[in-house]
Structures are given as structure tokens and as C-alpha cells.
Amino acid sequence: MSKQVTKIGVLTSGGDAPGMNAAIRAVVRTGIYYGLEVYGIVRGYQGMIEDNIFHMDSKSVANIIQKGGTILKTARSKEFFTPEGRQKAYENLQKHGINGLVVIGGDGSFRGAQKFSNEFDIPCIGLPGTIDKDIAGTDFTIGFDTAVNTAVEAIDKIRDTADAHDRLFIVEVMGRDAGYIAMHSGLATGAENVLIPEQKTNIDEIVMTLTEKEKRKKLVNLIVVAEGDEYGGATEIGKILKDRMPNADIRVCILGHIQRGGAPSCIDRNLASQMGYYAVESLLQGRNNVMVGIVNNEMNYIKLDDAVKQKQTVSDEMLKIIKILAS
Ligand code: F6P
């Protein structure tokens, strides 16, 4: 039988994602509603190790639901992946009497939480906060919708100038290991092709399609590339295509970290708010080592391990649709 949770810590870890603040707000206010004490842990696991931990009240999360970034800051702590680092972190939590943890982050953060709660008697609940959407057990992750909309807005602007010059643009979006931003923004902007880490990049096929479209005088050509595609992103793809198609007017544009910032969309705020509420409820129900997801608009629990290992499957059909619609 697990101990009743009375004091909880909340942290954000890994790459920040729009909506993390809304999740923090939901955890703090739901915790207070249920009579818990809530502590903010600054800079993720590193803050746990360095005892950068402070008491939060309802006012600590006022006026943040609409803000990008994370008021708790974030980090990717290497030290936490050592037994000594985790021991220090545990001792600091004990010092504050914290006996439950909510971790808002992506796959690396969940691996950390999994290790930690296997070793120590502190239950951990994960909330999927990453623009990459590369987590199983949830239809969406906090931040993905905002990031995709940012990418779409930028690509639409690129389309204007591509059209004015009859140019081919290779646009790079984020996603070192995941192609969801590329696929969703590519479909939404009418890209010719989307190149993603989960699939091999077929240069011959791209050249063939572009050459055929050139013959038909198709004017605007956009290719959306995830930064982690087989060739390592848009710059490399641009070089290869310039080489193979010397007459084509090709430009490369890397969208970069603008995709991580900005006010969270309505979808992300609401997702984060619901997930934050469910995270506290889960701790109170004695759950441990699970991630709270939303599937078909219903709350869903998945083991942290499975959320990381299973990944989401990339839809071949979606890639097919992208190509058909841009023909
Ligand atoms: O995990 C989110 C993400 O934005 C990835 O899409 C990207 O590859 C990575 O973080 C970039 O990390 P950093 O900001 O540390 O360069």
C-alpha cells in the first residue's frame, strides 16, 4: 500500500514547450484544492540536486496560463543520470517532506522519473510536455499544437516569397528524432514532400517529382524537412538538390527555436490544464510511474516506460496524402 501523498513537487524538464506554464498552474491549484502543499523545483532535475526548491501558493501561478516558456525554468541534467545525483535529489526532497512528484517533459525526462521512482519511495507522474509529440499513450503532447501553428504561419509566409520568385524552398522544422511537426505542418501548408527521421529520404524520387513538376510549370515548391532526417536537415538536402538540379532556384530556411516559444494555443492550454489536474488526482489515488495522456478526449494512463519505448507510429497514409495533394 503506498503512503498518502501530502506534499508534492512539480518540475519542467528537457526542451520547454508552450503550455508548460498552464500545466504548472493546474498542478499547483489542484494540489491546493485537495489540501496538499506544493513545491516548485527550478531547472528540472538539476534543481532537485541543487535544492533549488520553493513553496508555491495560488498566487505563484497567477497570470501565467497565457505565457510561453516555463516559470520553473528547465534543463537537461546529466548529473541526474548518475546514482549519486539521484541520491542527492532524493535527500533534498526528503528535507522538504516532498512525497510525490509531477514531471512535465518529454522522453528523457520520463526516463529520469522512471529510474528515480524505481529507486526511491517517491511516486512520479509524468505529463507529456514536448513540441515533438514523440510520446505514446496520448494523442497530443503539451506544446505540439502551438509549435505546429508557428511553423505553419512561417511556412505560409515563405510560400508568398517562393511564389513571387518561382523558387523551391526547403524549410527545416524541429524534430531531431521525430517527424510529427514536419508532417502536420507539411500537410497544412501544401508541401510537396516531407522528410522525417522515421523514414529513409529518397533523393532520386524527390528529383524525379520536382523535374516532372518543373515541366508542368508548377510554380511553388515547398519541401518540409525535420532537422533529424536521414541527411541531417535542410542545409544538406539543399546542397544535394542544388547539385542534382543546377538550374533550379533553391533556397533553404531553418525555422529553429521560434517553434518552441510564444503564447500557447487554446488546445495546448486546455490540454495542459486537464493533464495537470489529472496528475494530482493520480498521485492522490496512489498511482506511480505513469504518464497522464489524453486519447480520444478521454484521460488515459500509460506506464512511463511504455510512453517512451512505444513511441507513436508515423502514419504512412498521411505521408501519401501529402504527396497526392501537392501533385
Ligand atoms: O525536444 C524538443 C526539441 O525542440 C527538438 O525538436 C529539438 O531537436 C531539440 O529540442 C533542440 O534542443 P536544444 O534546444 O537543446 O537545441
Side-chain angles (χ1 to χ4, degrees):
M1 201 44 201
S2 54
K3 280 186 274 168
Q4 187 58 42
V5 167
T6 51
K7 294 187 181 184
I8 61 172
V10 56
L11 62 87
T12 48
S13 160
D16 60 305
M20 279 184 162
N21 281 327
I24 296 167
R25 172 179 176 269
V27 170
V28 171
R29 293 207 169 151
T30 308
I32 292 169
Y33 173 82
Y34 283 118
L36 305 178
E37 273 190 51
V38 186
Y39 289 82
I41 301 166
V42 181
R43 298 190 66 242
Y45 296 124
Q46 201 53 37
M48 256 162 86
I49 294 170
E50 292 165 4
D51 194 17
N52 201 344
I53 298 172
F54 69 103
H55 187 260
M56 295 182 90
D57 58 20
S58 195
K59 271 203 183 132
S60 324
V61 291
N63 198 27
I64 64 167
I65 193 168
Q66 79 286 15
K67 290 186 178 150
T70 157
I71 59 158
L72 292 178
K73 310 269 182 188
T74 186
R76 292 188 173 105
S77 171
K78 289 211 175 82
E79 203 180 340
F80 194 73
F81 282 86
T82 66
E84 298 76 28
R86 290 194 294 279
Q87 180 64 38
K88 266 195 234 166
Y90 175 65
E91 283 164 16
N92 286 328
L93 292 190
Q94 273 204 316
K95 200 163 84 186
H96 294 277
I98 296 170
N99 49 17
L101 207 56
V102 178
V103 173
I104 308 166
D107 52 356
S109 315
F110 290 173
R111 275 190 211 104
Q114 175 82 58
K115 269 187 177 300
F116 188 72
S117 67
N118 283 343
E119 288 169 357
F120 303 105
D121 57 344
I122 297 195
C124 292
I125 303 294
L127 294 188
T130 165
I131 63 164
D132 288 344
K133 201 173 91 79
D134 55 345
I135 303 274
T138 189
D139 289 341
F140 288 97
T141 55
I142 298 165
F144 174 73
D145 182 66
T146 309
V148 168
N149 278 299
T150 302
V152 165
E153 207 184 314
I155 298 170
D156 282 348
K157 288 178 179 162
I158 291 168
R159 177 180 272 280
D160 289 345
T161 173
D163 179 43
H165 288 266
D166 296 343
R167 273 177 175 156
L168 163 63
F169 262 86
I170 324 278
V171 185
E172 182 177 301
V173 296
M174 274 192 155
R176 206 161 27 205
D177 305 305
Y180 300 101
I181 299 178
M183 282 167 60
H184 285 251
S185 63
L187 178 61
T189 55
E192 308 305 309
N193 212 327
V194 165
L195 313 180
I196 56 173
E198 295 88 342
Q199 295 226 327
K200 289 213 155 298
T201 296
N202 188 339
I203 298 285
D204 288 338
E205 190 201 309
I206 298 170
V207 172
M208 206 173 72
T209 320
L210 289 172
T211 314
E212 186 268 320
K213 284 178 180 167
E214 203 182 5
K215 280 189 200 135
R216 283 197 279 123
K217 299 262 175 282
K218 186 170 191 289
L219 301 180
V220 179
N221 284 307
L222 291 167
I223 295 179
V224 177
V225 187
E227 61 182 320
D229 94 298
E230 196 188 341
Y231 288 84
T235 307
E236 275 311 304
I237 297 291
K239 273 190 207 149
I240 296 169
L241 290 182
K242 274 179 197 164
D243 230 37
R244 295 278 301 266
M245 308 172 66
N247 294 328
D249 196 2
I250 300 175
R251 292 290 186 279
V252 167
C253 180
I254 297 173
L255 299 187
H257 285 79
I258 61 161
Q259 292 160 96
R260 283 237 295 260
S265 67
C266 174
I267 287 181
D268 278 331
R269 293 179 203 195
N270 290 352
L271 194 67
S273 300
Q274 290 174 73
M275 285 177 170
Y277 165 85
Y278 288 131
V280 176
E281 287 231 313
S282 312
L283 281 172
L284 288 169
Q285 287 158 2
R287 290 182 201 271
N288 181 17
N289 254 335
V290 292
M291 183 197 88
V292 175
I294 306 268
V295 175
N296 294 331
N297 280 327
E298 302 258 326
M299 196 206 26
N300 181 56
Y301 293 113
I302 180 170
K303 283 190 186 147
L304 286 177
D305 232 10
D306 292 340
V308 172
K309 282 191 191 136
Q310 288 175 9
K311 299 272 180 192
Q312 292 189 12
T313 41
V314 162
S315 160
D316 287 336
E317 196 141 45
M318 188 158 169
L319 291 166
K320 184 176 168 190
I321 294 171
I322 290 170
K323 288 185 192 163
I324 292 174
L325 299 191
S327 57

